[in-house]
Amino acid sequence: MATIKDVAARAGVGLGTASRVLNGSAQTSPSSRERVLAAAAELGYVAHGPARALRRTRTDALGLLVSDIRNPFFSELAHAAEQEARAHGYAVLLANANEDERQADDVLRTFASQRIDGLMLSPQGPATPQLASLLERDVPIVLLNRRIEGVDLPFFGTDNEQGVGLVLEHLQRRGHRDVAYVGGTPTMSTGVERARTYLGGRAAHGISTDDAFVEAGDFQTEGAAAAMLRILDRGVQPTAVFGANGATTVGVLRALRERLGSDAAAAIEVVSFDDFDWFAYASPAITAVRNDASAIGRAAVQGVLALLRGEPAESVRVATTLIDRSGR
Amino acid sequence: MATIKDVAARAGVGLGTASRVLNGSAQTSPSSRERVLAAAAELGYVAHGPARALRRTRTDALGLLVSDIRNPFFSELAHAAEQEARAHGYAVLLANANEDERQADDVLRTFASQRIDGLMLSPQGPATPQLASLLERDVPIVLLNRRIEGVDLPFFGTDNEQGVGLVLEHLQRRGHRDVAYVGGTPTMSTGVERARTYLGGRAAHGISTDDAFVEAGDFQTEGAAAAMLRILDRGVQPTAVFGANGATTVGVLRALRERLGSDAAAAIEVVSFDDFDWFAYASPAITAVRNDASAIGRAAVQGVLALLRGEPAESVRVATTLIDRSGR
DNA sequence: TCGTCGCGTGGAAACGTTTCCATGACGGAA
DNA sequence: TTCCGTCATGGAAACGTTTCCACGCGACGA
């Protein structure tokens, strides 16, 4: 394995000169520049990242901790974040927490040990010990999509109020009165914001405020299906259902089909916070609020990089758009 | 930032003893063990990964290069691989190639610089310079899902023959004769294997061998939709369509709906290689061959770890299962 | 002609670990 | 008592970089 020492020797220059050429850091004579580059190419030299990180006290790596990469929202976000980071010369270390606080802490310990330069975090719950320790070290951290109680960090996520507003308007436009709402986890900031905005906006948009139409889920398919079944079991007859996120909507679909059969289910309009491409092919028709995960991912990277430069990072709430598929 | 030197000083022991305790490597007296651990806890000591990697010449990190993490097959695979690796004390560095050979090479260079201990790779095309360079250094490498011409590496992927066989049997059982086939990229091993098995098996399963029903796509939604349109434009009337992967099937759905309208489209049975959960909610009904991405991810990690231990790694072809949704 | 300046250069030091080697203490056998 | 082996220990060396510092050399102005 060739080291920079080998490169320097082969080029007939000193260690320092080789390093300077390879990093383009300082002035070097054209002749040594040329010879060093030639030597490096001949030897297939690849700088030893860890050694370089050790000496420079930075790694050019950002950590990205999401709850579950299988969630399309996060995989799109991760993809965009990686592209954006790469464009700025940073690598992204991706890890899953599986909605598990212990695993999240474990990952943070690994990140800390790797000495990542910055962190993008979709929190699982309250602040954990490892997070606190990273904060102490002044590692730049931004939050994705969920907030953490008591911790004031730049936030990059969806504009829930605006998105729910679009849904309320759509439901009113379509003349729905009896609308079921399957919400998210009541302890998560996203769940709270969406529920508050929706429930509070019902009256102004001609939607029944009967709480028999409302159940909380857990942002997972299973829990949402169960919640939907509880609503149906009360004997109410919604003409539309609003699911608080993508997985919730899938659970709603499953429950409707299971309890009513696919024909009766097709008569119900389903509205989703979070859009999936395949909604276009589903029956019943699904109207959705599209959540620009790519924009969030890019903005989050830019936020971390700003913090790294010592500038303040402004929180960003990305606006959503309504994909209306009710007209079919 | 506390170093191991600080820990040793605070514990009143030498550098070596501190290191030995923290790594549990050699015999240490209970008293110094206790004091070192206490000191480390008090200082919030976290070992410096890069320094440790420098000295040990290994990083306990595996690289995973996929074409696009937004593809559910890969996100499931990546998730499983990360869990498996973590269970064995390894971290996974994930990167996307975006189906772009140059970007893939770029990522490999980064991986090489990070000195990953092993690599799991879903190749974009033929062997690239950086891959060759990694091979030279004897970095353990396994292939995911696609093979590389002329390079003999352990392979972990779907059993395409077996999967296509399930599809052929299903089509025969359902009595389809006029079946359209939208294939994948003809240069990729997966595309070739699936096409060869399907085309060769048609006659034996009572399926028309008229090549007017066959078009190649590119494993992407856009290209598949275009291919499907070309078939329909020939004036043939398939009663079923077989899409060579998940994205292809989505393109097929789009084309059918666009050209025939959703009612006529619903009368056509669509069969997919790759299953998505939402297929259950789609119209027309979609029967699919389920591809166990998690099993592939886990097996690939185990393969790399075997290579790292100096053992041979046996290629694995994971069997698929048929999810029959045609009975609705 | 001489001092000064700037530029390119070589090499030592440092980054934080792990591991090797030598040392001292201690206990048991002779 | 003496000798040897065992065991825990401290510290130096090494891993591959980058960066700082000092030096030599040519050009330039006085």
Side-chain angles (χ1 to χ4, degrees):
Chain A
M1 191 94 317
T3 78
I4 199 174
K5 220 176 269 187
D6 302 325
V7 172
R10 179 163 191 130
V13 302
L15 213 51
T17 302
S19 172
R20 280 181 290 259
V21 167
L22 293 170
N23 293 292
S25 53
Q27 301 285 32
T28 49
S29 76
S31 92
S32 36
R33 153 170 265 94
E34 193 181 319
R35 282 152 62 208
V36 168
L37 293 178
E42 286 163 26
L43 293 173
Y45 171 73
V46 179
H48 192 291
R52 152 180 265 252
L54 171 60
R55 175 59 228 220
R56 299 170 63 203
T57 67
R58 32 174 278 205
T59 50
D60 295 341
L62 305 178
L64 171 58
L65 176 54
V66 302
S67 46
D68 190 342
I69 189 63
R70 291 171 299 183
N71 179 334
F73 173 76
F74 285 123
S75 60
E76 187 181 334
L77 189 155
H79 183 265
E82 194 209 334
Q83 297 297 111
E84 182 75 14
R86 181 168 292 277
H88 289 86
Y90 282 81
V92 171
L93 275 46
L94 174 72
N96 292 287
N98 281 325
E99 306 277 355
D100 176 356
E101 219 169 296
R102 266 190 36 196
Q103 194 165 348
D105 220 43
D106 206 45
V107 167
L108 291 181
R109 197 190 333 274
T110 309
F111 279 170
S113 157
Q114 314 246 41
R115 297 299 198 265
I116 53 168
D117 292 342
L119 175 64
M120 297 169 280
L121 172 69
S122 170
Q124 305 308 306
T128 63
Q130 286 299 322
L131 182 60
S133 134
L134 283 169
L135 280 168
E136 264 178 38
R137 296 167 196 226
D138 295 320
V139 174
I141 302 179
V142 303
L143 297 181
L144 297 174
N145 228 34
R146 299 183 194 158
R147 297 181 178 285
I148 303 182
E149 197 116 356
V151 183
D152 186 30
L153 288 170
F155 172 85
F156 297 82
T158 308
D159 191 335
N160 291 314
E161 279 85 359
Q162 181 261 352
V164 172
L166 292 178
V167 170
L168 286 168
E169 286 164 21
H170 174 80
L171 290 170
Q172 180 169 34
R173 210 179 310 125
R174 299 272 300 165
H176 288 291
R177 221 188 63 85
D178 294 346
V179 180
Y181 176 68
V182 179
T185 316
T187 57
M188 285 185 189
S189 63
T190 40
V192 172
E193 288 176 8
R194 290 176 196 173
R196 189 182 51 217
T197 311
Y198 172 75
L199 298 177
R202 284 178 302 180
H205 291 81
I207 296 169
S208 161
T209 55
D210 183 348
D211 283 338
F213 286 114
V214 176
E215 272 287 327
D218 56 3
F219 279 145
Q220 311 274 54
T221 300
E222 283 308 320
M228 185 73 236
L229 289 179
R230 287 198 298 275
I231 294 176
L232 292 175
D233 285 346
R234 289 184 190 131
V236 300
Q237 298 261 358
T239 61
V241 182
F242 177 24
N245 82 338
T248 298
T249 300
V250 175
V252 166
L253 290 178
R254 182 192 300 175
L256 289 180
R257 192 171 285 241
E258 177 184 327
R259 186 57 46 97
L260 307 178
S262 61
D263 289 344
I268 295 183
E269 181 170 356
V270 174
V271 183
S272 172
F273 205 107
D274 284 348
D275 184 40
F276 298 146
D277 290 335
W278 59 267
F279 281 176
Y281 311 107
S283 158
I286 301 175
T287 286
V289 161
R290 183 179 283 275
N291 207 334
D292 194 344
S294 294
I296 296 176
R298 283 192 298 270
V301 168
Q302 286 163 8
V304 175
L305 294 183
L307 290 175
L308 274 169
R309 288 191 302 266
E311 304 164 11
E314 281 175 40
S315 294
V316 173
R317 289 192 155 268
V318 175
T320 63
T321 51
L322 188 79
I323 312 292
D324 187 347
R325 300 195 184 89
S326 59
R328 291 185 309 190
Chain B
M1 191 95 316
T3 78
I4 199 174
K5 220 177 268 186
D6 301 326
V7 173
R10 179 164 191 131
V13 302
L15 212 50
T17 303
S19 172
R20 279 181 290 259
V21 167
L22 293 170
N23 293 293
S25 52
Q27 301 286 31
T28 48
S29 75
S31 92
S32 35
R33 152 169 266 94
E34 192 181 321
R35 280 152 63 208
V36 168
L37 293 177
E42 286 163 26
L43 294 172
Y45 171 73
V46 179
H48 192 290
R52 155 180 264 255
L54 172 59
R55 175 61 227 221
R56 300 169 62 201
T57 66
R58 30 174 280 202
T59 50
D60 294 343
L62 304 179
L64 172 58
L65 176 54
V66 301
S67 47
D68 190 342
I69 189 65
R70 292 170 299 184
N71 178 334
F73 173 77
F74 284 123
S75 60
E76 187 181 336
L77 189 155
H79 183 266
E82 193 209 334
Q83 297 297 113
E84 183 74 14
R86 181 167 292 277
H88 289 87
Y90 282 81
V92 171
L93 275 46
L94 175 72
N96 292 288
N98 282 325
E99 305 277 355
D100 175 356
E101 219 169 297
R102 267 190 36 198
Q103 193 165 345
D105 220 42
D106 206 45
V107 167
L108 290 181
R109 197 189 333 273
T110 309
F111 279 169
S113 157
Q114 314 246 43
R115 298 299 198 263
I116 53 167
D117 291 342
L119 174 64
M120 297 168 281
L121 172 68
S122 170
Q124 306 307 306
T128 63
Q130 286 301 321
L131 182 61
S133 132
L134 282 169
L135 280 168
E136 263 178 39
R137 296 166 196 226
D138 294 320
V139 175
I141 302 179
V142 303
L143 298 182
L144 297 174
N145 228 35
R146 299 182 195 158
R147 297 181 178 285
I148 303 183
E149 197 115 357
V151 183
D152 186 31
L153 288 170
F155 172 85
F156 297 82
T158 308
D159 191 335
N160 292 313
E161 280 85 358
Q162 182 260 352
V164 172
L166 292 178
V167 170
L168 285 168
E169 287 164 21
H170 174 79
L171 290 170
Q172 181 170 33
R173 208 180 310 124
R174 299 272 300 165
H176 288 290
R177 222 188 62 84
D178 294 346
V179 180
Y181 177 67
V182 179
T185 315
T187 57
M188 285 184 188
S189 63
T190 41
V192 172
E193 288 176 8
R194 289 175 196 174
R196 190 181 51 216
T197 310
Y198 172 75
L199 297 178
R202 285 178 300 180
H205 291 81
I207 296 169
S208 161
T209 55
D210 183 350
D211 282 337
F213 286 114
V214 177
E215 272 287 326
D218 57 2
F219 279 145
Q220 310 273 58
T221 300
E222 283 307 320
M228 186 71 236
L229 289 179
R230 287 198 298 276
I231 294 176
L232 292 175
D233 285 347
R234 290 183 189 132
V236 299
Q237 298 261 358
T239 61
V241 183
F242 177 24
N245 83 338
T248 298
T249 301
V250 175
V252 166
L253 290 177
R254 182 192 301 175
L256 290 179
R257 191 171 287 241
E258 178 184 329
R259 187 56 47 96
L260 307 178
S262 60
D263 288 345
I268 295 183
E269 181 170 355
V270 174
V271 183
S272 172
F273 205 107
D274 284 349
D275 184 40
F276 297 147
D277 290 336
W278 59 266
F279 281 175
Y281 310 107
S283 158
I286 301 174
T287 285
V289 161
R290 183 180 283 274
N291 208 334
D292 193 344
S294 294
I296 296 175
R298 282 191 298 269
V301 168
Q302 285 163 7
V304 175
L305 295 183
L307 290 175
L308 275 169
R309 289 190 303 265
E311 304 166 10
E314 281 176 40
S315 294
V316 173
R317 289 193 155 268
V318 175
T320 63
T321 51
L322 188 80
I323 312 291
D324 186 348
R325 300 195 184 89
S326 59
R328 294 185 308 188

